[in-house]
Amino acid sequence: MFRLLRPLAAPVIYTRWLHLLIPGAVYSVWEFISPDTPWVPMVFAVPVGLLPAMRLAEGVQAQLLLTPAERDSPHAAISTSTAATWADRRRTVLWLEIRLLLCVAVGFATVWLPATTVDLVLAAAGDGPSGEWLVRGLEPRWWYALLAPLPILVLLAVVAASGELITATARRLLSPSPVQRLTALEERTEQLLERNRIARELHDSIGHALTVAVVQAGAARAADDPEFTERALAAIEETGRDALDDLERVLRVLRESGTPVGQRPTLAEADRLLDSARGSGAKIDADVSGPLEQVPGAVSREGYRILQESLTNVLRHSGAVPVRVRISVANGRLEMEVTNPLTDSMGTPGGGSGLRGIRERAALLGGKAKTGPYDGEWRVHASLPLNGLGWPDAGYRSSGR
């Protein structure tokens, strides 16, 4: 018995009951104005439902009272937007008509069933029924008191069933249209892409700074030279400041969705990466050719992160070794290549989230990146189209894909 009554303890049962009774205010006002024409509110619902804003109002109310658990969820089955098409408006009209009809049925049950319980109690007490409710002409009987709870149980069953029915109707008639679903899906995709990009930004920037700090601290401790230690601390300080600037850029994107992406570092600031690697002991041989300042912003920003991650991997896995950096802009492409002597600690070709991030950045722009051993060296090669179209063969094949 208690198991059957347990669903009645759910708060949503009663918020749905309230939702069903709200249109009753319209009927009450109209009954006061014109009791002989109770059908007028049903007719009046047609032009009201055709108003675009009415779908928004009904959607917000239905989501709040019928499906509160789905409120503010990106996967909510009930839309909270204005009607964009005539099909949406027609569905809103049908929704209003069904809601008004259910309001009449549930309102009748809400008033008359409890009154019936009162009449049964009065009849059991010997006072006789009032004659105004569902129970009429009953002779006083004590056992009517045993029947008194039944109308209340019937009322609760009607409320629960009507709540399920109105919720199912709302999910169907107030659901997002195909255009709205596609728009929501596109927005969700954009959010996931932005989160992925921010994760890569943090990985590349903070990972680079921490790698430089670890290498510098280890070298300073091993050198036991105050002058070298001073230079190492200066390099750590400078790299830490750069990392804080990058972190601030990323956090600004999170705090302010309108922050321009152009505030992120580009290849025009590549010198600070090269100087940071040199300060960590790496012997950098850099060759930059072509109009680097003419590289589009998106390509330049991703190129900066690819270079940053490449240098970070060198410092993390090989330490202070000779590094050759080649950056060229020609024939509508940005070609980048970072090579260093191959060591046992370079890891599995193509492994690690950093190398995967390099390939993802290149693919996002329609280009391609290859990482892995080549002729006794570890090589990272990225070929990015400046116009975002296609990509030619990079001129060599690497075992890291």
Side-chain angles (χ1 to χ4, degrees), residues 22-249:
I22 286 176
V26 177
Y27 270 104
S28 299
V29 172
W30 187 254
E31 280 288 327
F32 179 78
I33 296 174
S34 179
D36 297 330
T37 55
W39 46 266
V40 170
M42 300 290 294
V43 176
F44 187 67
V46 175
V48 171
L50 293 176
L51 297 175
M54 194 63 189
R55 187 173 183 83
L56 170 62
E58 288 296 313
V60 170
Q61 189 180 132
Q63 205 178 84
L64 178 64
L65 297 177
L66 299 182
T67 58
E70 299 179 11
R71 189 182 179 189
D72 300 326
S73 170
H75 307 293
I78 298 177
S79 172
T80 54
S81 60
T82 58
T85 64
W86 280 103
D88 288 342
R89 299 183 186 187
R90 288 193 294 270
R91 292 165 67 198
T92 305
V93 170
L94 181 57
W95 157 257
L96 289 177
E97 298 290 353
I98 294 175
R99 187 180 178 189
L100 287 171
L101 288 174
L102 283 176
C103 168
V104 172
V106 174
F108 179 86
T110 301
V111 173
W112 290 87
L113 288 175
T116 300
T117 293
V118 173
D119 265 1
L120 289 171
V121 171
L122 292 176
D127 295 335
S130 63
E132 300 295 332
W133 307 110
L134 296 182
V135 180
R136 299 184 181 183
L138 292 179
E139 295 296 329
R141 296 288 189 275
W142 66 267
W143 49 268
Y144 288 159
L146 301 178
L147 301 177
L150 291 181
I152 300 300
L153 294 178
V154 171
L155 172 62
L156 293 177
V158 169
V159 168
S162 301
E164 290 293 336
L165 178 59
I166 195 66
T167 301
T169 304
R171 291 180 187 276
R172 184 168 184 83
L173 297 180
L174 297 182
S175 62
S177 65
V179 174
Q180 292 172 333
R181 291 184 185 277
L182 181 59
T183 301
L185 180 61
E186 290 175 348
E187 291 177 353
R188 178 63 176 167
T189 302
E190 289 293 330
Q191 291 174 357
L192 292 176
L193 289 174
E194 183 67 7
R195 288 174 59 184
N196 191 36
R197 185 194 64 75
I198 290 174
R200 288 199 304 265
E201 293 279 333
L202 289 174
H203 174 274
D204 295 348
S205 177
I206 306 304
H208 175 77
L210 291 176
T211 298
V212 170
V214 169
V215 171
Q216 290 281 14
R221 184 173 60 178
D224 195 20
D225 181 353
E227 185 177 349
F228 182 84
T229 300
E230 182 67 24
R231 291 198 304 270
L233 290 175
I236 292 173
E237 180 182 11
E238 181 180 356
T239 305
R241 285 198 180 117
D242 292 340
L244 286 174
D245 290 340
D246 288 343
L247 181 60
E248 179 60 28
R249 290 189 184 99

Side-chain angles (χ1 to χ4, degrees), residues 349-351 355-356 358-359 369-373 378-381 396 398-401:
L355 299 180
R356 183 172 62 250
I358 289 176
R359 293 190 291 271
K370 297 182 178 181
T371 61
W378 182 272
R379 178 177 296 188
V380 175
H381 184 277
Y396 75 97
S398 163
S399 62
R401 300 285 298 179

Side-chain angles (χ1 to χ4, degrees), residues 165-372:
L165 178 59
I166 195 66
T167 301
T169 304
R171 291 180 187 276
R172 184 168 184 83
L173 297 180
L174 297 182
S175 62
S177 65
V179 174
Q180 292 172 333
R181 291 184 185 277
L182 181 59
T183 301
L185 180 61
E186 290 175 348
E187 291 177 353
R188 178 63 176 167
T189 302
E190 289 293 330
Q191 291 174 357
L192 292 176
L193 289 174
E194 183 67 7
R195 288 174 59 184
N196 191 36
R197 185 194 64 75
I198 290 174
R200 288 199 304 265
E201 293 279 333
L202 289 174
H203 174 274
D204 295 348
S205 177
I206 306 304
H208 175 77
L210 291 176
T211 298
V212 170
V214 169
V215 171
Q216 290 281 14
R221 184 173 60 178
D224 195 20
D225 181 353
E227 185 177 349
F228 182 84
T229 300
E230 182 67 24
R231 291 198 304 270
L233 290 175
I236 292 173
E237 180 182 11
E238 181 180 356
T239 305
R241 285 198 180 117
D242 292 340
L244 286 174
D245 290 340
D246 288 343
L247 181 60
E248 179 60 28
R249 290 189 184 99
V250 173
L251 294 179
R252 194 180 300 119
V253 171
L254 292 174
R255 289 193 300 263
E256 306 170 12
S257 58
T259 300
V261 295
Q263 294 186 9
R264 300 200 298 270
T266 65
L267 280 176
E269 304 172 57
D271 285 344
R272 75 174 188 174
L273 291 178
L274 301 176
D275 291 341
S276 176
R278 290 190 182 103
S280 298
K283 302 174 181 61
I284 304 294
D285 176 17
D287 180 17
V288 180
S289 61
L292 201 61
E293 67 281 356
Q294 296 181 13
V295 176
V299 179
S300 188
R301 287 189 291 271
E302 298 303 321
Y304 176 94
R305 292 305 186 190
I306 290 174
L307 176 61
Q308 184 180 56
E309 180 59 28
S310 301
L311 294 175
T312 300
N313 282 337
V314 173
L315 295 174
R316 180 182 297 139
H317 298 293
S318 298
V321 298
V323 182
R324 186 170 65 253
V325 177
R326 298 290 182 265
I327 303 175
S328 66
V329 180
N331 301 322
R333 305 193 69 78
L334 170 65
E335 302 286 343
M336 300 178 60
E337 187 174 273
V338 178
T339 58
N340 61 278
L342 187 60
T343 63
D344 294 338
S345 60
M346 288 304 292
T348 303
S353 59
L355 299 180
R356 183 172 62 250
I358 289 176
R359 293 190 291 271
E360 288 175 353
R361 289 180 184 277
L364 186 64
L365 297 173
K368 194 167 185 179
K370 297 182 178 181
T371 61

